[in-house]
Amino acid sequence: MKDFSVVYRNYGHWDICVPGEGRIFRIRGGPGNYWVSEERAGPNDGLKYFKTVQACMSFITDELMFELIVAEGQKPQMIEGWNV
């Protein structure tokens, strides 16, 4: 994913969008009780609850910006499919 945008619609209502795909996450709630809903295709773990919008955004950016990097000469560690 090259880029994404954060749209503030109104109080307690944020959307995270990707050009060409539309909304992929949404944040809803109020102080001390925000939740993130993932709208990307595929399996997800349901709603995630956080105390702040910042914590919600940290979770979302971790999902979107994760990079699996293996250093030269290092073997990647594999896990069994049932453990994913």
Side-chain angles (χ1 to χ4, degrees), residues 32-82:
N33 188 29
Y34 290 96
W35 52 269
V36 173
S37 174
E38 183 173 352
E39 298 185 357
R40 296 185 291 180
N44 64 53
D45 297 332
L47 301 178
K48 304 279 191 213
Y49 293 89
F50 301 93
K51 291 182 181 179
T52 64
V53 172
Q54 292 85 347
C56 294
M57 286 304 301
S58 179
F59 168 76
I60 292 168
T61 54
D62 183 54
E63 287 288 311
L64 297 178
M65 299 175 73
F66 175 75
E67 297 178 306
L68 179 59
I69 299 173
V70 178
E72 184 177 336
Q74 199 178 29
K75 294 184 191 257
Q77 181 178 354
M78 303 300 237
I79 63 173
E80 296 84 7
W82 60 266

